[in-house]
Amino acid sequence: MLYSEIQKVDPEVYESLKNELQRQRNSLEMIASENFTSPAVMEAQGSIMTNKYAEGLPGKRYYGGCEFHDQVEQLAIDRAKALFKADHANVQPHSGSNANFAAYFSVLEAGDKILGPLLPHGGHLTHGSPVNFSGRLFKFSQYTLNQDTQRFEPDDILEIARREKPKLILTGYSAYPRKIEFEKWRAVADEVGAVLMADIAHIAGLIAAEQHPQPFPHCDIVTTTTHKTLRGPRGGIVMCTEKYAKQVDKTVFPGFQGGPLMHAIAGKAIALKEAQSAEFRKYAEQVVKNAHALADELMSNGFNLVTGGTDSHLMLVNLESKSITGKEAEVLLEQVGITANKNMVPDDKQSPFVTSGIRLGTPAITSRGMKADQMRQIGEFISRTMNYRNDEEQKRKIKNEVLEICKAFPLYPDF
Ligand code: DSN
């Protein structure tokens, strides 16, 4: 029985874990930043690697007994470098936020100027939000989607960069469904003498599987999480060109973090190996095909998608024309067994707690083996849920149909 030790030691936590397993199995996980990692990655995270301090780097530790931790961390480093064609990788950041913190402080001083994306236009809190360390410690100017094309246009960014003279330009997003042409961003950065950074947290798995262009050699510094499309454990990685290698390592430790989470690093090593496989490549291709199918279904049901569609694993639905807020849509979808998150849309009139949008992603449902047929069904469920928002009988019916799909694509069947 899975979690049998937890059951013995702490029945309350056990109960919650058991219920969470059922929740994951019996609902459609469509939060674009979530995924179902492999049992091997989960074994690593629950392994004896959690027992050790390993401050420092492979071969240069501040604690004895690190021989096997060195081996595991070196595997993770080498695999990250190979997968993303990076000169250097530090696999110790505990999260994407930590990775971004380390990246900024590897190339900048507090108070320096950064040009990054505005949160409601697809950026992340760590891209300069005033409530985040980034907005408090650095001077951000922020760019937005082009009003006509609804894309980030390097020409617009160049105009702002010439005016603002940032030391660092940031590309890479949390809610932007289009491909990033890194070479165009390089040209902008070169024009104003800025460092070019990419936060590829959302698209790392797509990049690894060649479903999205590589940030190197165009970028100087690249951060990612390991648990989104990459389907690994929760955590972060910073990669960079040789020029910034020493500074990145020093900033992560001792600059910012203490002991690395070696059990998570073991999970990262495994996930990075999995991401090199032909099976992962097929998975990532299907993630993108599924996003296309879902986007098409939603648009043919009258939904407006920001940028008019998707090239990636996610889409941002602007609900203004449906007279429903993101907050209401999130609750309604949860009632029928679909998990998604409310999200700001460009020029949103609602607050971040309400919003006018909903973000949908296909990475997790694709990990269950779902394909375009299921996406069309799910698009139709979403549409019906919005149209029959006050009809309890309809919503019960949709919930049963969601459950049928979930049963046809079992999650963690061996647990
Ligand atoms: N919080 C993540 C997301 O949902 O996109 C980004 O780190």
Side-chain angles (χ1 to χ4, degrees):
M1 174 66 192
L2 188 71
Y3 306 140
S4 56
E5 286 302 313
I6 302 176
Q7 187 178 19
K8 273 188 250 162
V9 172
D10 192 334
E12 286 161 289
V13 168
Y14 173 75
E15 197 57 27
S16 294
L17 291 186
K18 213 175 61 175
N19 290 338
E20 173 59 10
L21 177 59
Q22 291 316 316
R23 187 194 70 82
Q24 291 189 15
R25 280 180 170 158
N26 296 334
S27 59
L28 293 170
E29 181 50 73
M30 300 194 68
I31 293 178
S33 48
E34 295 188 11
N35 212 331
F36 300 119
T37 198
S38 69
V41 167
M42 283 193 276
E43 263 183 21
Q45 292 196 96
S47 73
I48 35 77
M49 299 295 279
T50 196
N51 293 335
K52 187 89 194 84
Y53 259 119
E55 282 174 11
L57 287 166
K60 287 177 274 181
R61 304 283 189 187
Y62 290 84
Y63 290 82
C66 287
E67 179 184 353
F68 305 111
H69 294 77
D70 283 0
Q71 289 171 5
V72 167
E73 186 167 347
Q74 196 58 52
L75 282 171
I77 292 169
D78 292 343
R79 289 172 184 168
K81 282 166 60 178
L83 214 46
F84 297 104
K85 307 188 189 314
D87 290 349
H88 182 75
N90 186 301
V91 297
Q92 295 189 1
H94 302 329
S95 68
S97 276
N98 284 19
N100 283 350
F101 187 102
Y104 295 149
F105 278 101
S106 297
V107 296
L108 303 173
E109 297 295 333
D112 279 348
K113 271 193 165 179
I114 302 178
L115 177 57
L118 193 67
L119 186 64
H121 286 236
H124 184 250
L125 281 169
T126 55
H127 299 172
S129 165
V131 298
N132 180 259
F133 79 84
S134 52
R136 296 177 65 183
L137 296 178
F138 297 96
K139 287 196 197 100
F140 269 84
S141 14
Q142 298 195 291
Y143 59 84
T144 55
L145 295 174
N146 179 291
Q147 285 203 325
D148 298 327
T149 63
Q150 292 207 316
R151 313 270 174 125
F152 291 123
E153 298 292 350
D155 283 348
D156 300 346
I157 288 57
L158 178 58
E159 205 183 304
I160 308 173
R162 282 198 175 121
R163 195 174 61 233
E164 298 290 337
K165 301 187 177 40
K167 282 203 175 158
L168 183 144
I169 296 178
L170 174 61
T171 179
Y173 313 98
S174 292
Y176 181 62
R178 297 299 182 178
K179 287 202 168 101
I180 305 167
E181 295 170 292
F182 293 108
E183 69 281 7
K184 293 195 177 159
W185 289 83
R186 175 80 258 164
V188 173
D190 284 346
E191 188 77 24
V192 296
V195 170
L196 182 61
M197 170 172 161
D199 175 346
I200 61 165
H202 264 266
I203 50 175
L206 306 185
I207 293 171
E210 296 182 8
Q211 300 305 302
H212 188 286
Q214 284 277 3
F216 291 113
H218 310 294
C219 296
D220 300 293
I221 190 155
V222 173
T223 57
T224 187
T225 53
T226 43
H227 49 271
K228 298 187 176 87
T229 48
L230 198 54
R231 211 164 60 177
R234 303 197 80 78
I237 298 179
V238 185
M239 294 170 280
C240 60
T241 56
E242 201 52 55
K243 179 174 174 191
Y244 298 107
K246 281 206 173 69
Q247 208 43 45
V248 162
D249 286 344
K250 269 168 47 185
T251 308
V252 174
F253 173 83
F256 180 43
Q257 290 187 170
L261 306 178
M262 294 309 298
H263 53 299
I265 289 176
K268 289 175 193 175
I270 294 165
L272 290 162
K273 182 181 164 93
E274 289 173 344
Q276 292 167 348
S277 67
E279 194 204 333
F280 187 83
R281 195 192 167 102
K282 267 176 46 199
Y283 159 70
E285 277 171 16
Q286 192 62 49
V287 166
V288 177
K289 279 189 201 156
N290 282 353
H292 273 292
L294 179 62
D296 286 348
E297 182 65 27
L298 289 171
M299 288 189 290
S300 64
N301 278 285
F303 285 92
N304 287 333
L305 300 196
V306 176
T307 83
T310 180
D311 300 324
S312 69
H313 62 298
L314 69 79
M315 65 216 67
L316 185 55
V317 186
N318 186 332
L319 296 164
E320 278 162 347
S321 64
K322 296 269 175 189
S323 304
I324 186 165
T325 66
K327 186 177 172 183
E328 288 164 338
E330 184 184 303
V331 171
L332 276 171
L333 290 176
E334 191 154 3
Q335 286 170 0
V336 300
I338 297 174
T339 317
N341 66 283
K342 60 180 171 289
N343 210 101
M344 302 282 277
V345 295
D347 308 317
D348 209 319
K349 292 174 199 72
Q350 304 285 354
S351 79
F353 298 105
V354 179
T355 81
S356 302
I358 195 112
R359 189 184 63 166
L360 297 167
T362 54
I365 49 179
T366 307
S367 288
R368 295 181 78 149
M370 294 181 197
K371 299 223 161 61
D373 281 351
Q374 287 73 46
M375 299 306 122
R376 284 188 280 273
Q377 273 177 287
I378 293 168
E380 199 261 328
F381 294 160
I382 293 171
S383 177
R384 255 198 296 150
T385 305
M386 301 295 144
N387 292 341
Y388 292 95
R389 64 191 79 155
N390 298 317
D391 184 334
E392 297 309 314
E393 182 53 36
Q394 267 293 336
K395 284 191 280 179
R396 247 193 312 278
K397 233 177 119 202
I398 301 168
K399 189 174 180 157
N400 284 335
E401 290 172 87
V402 165
L403 204 55
E404 266 173 45
I405 295 199
C406 292
K407 294 239 154 78
F409 294 88
L411 178 67
Y412 300 129
D414 302 330
F415 280 15

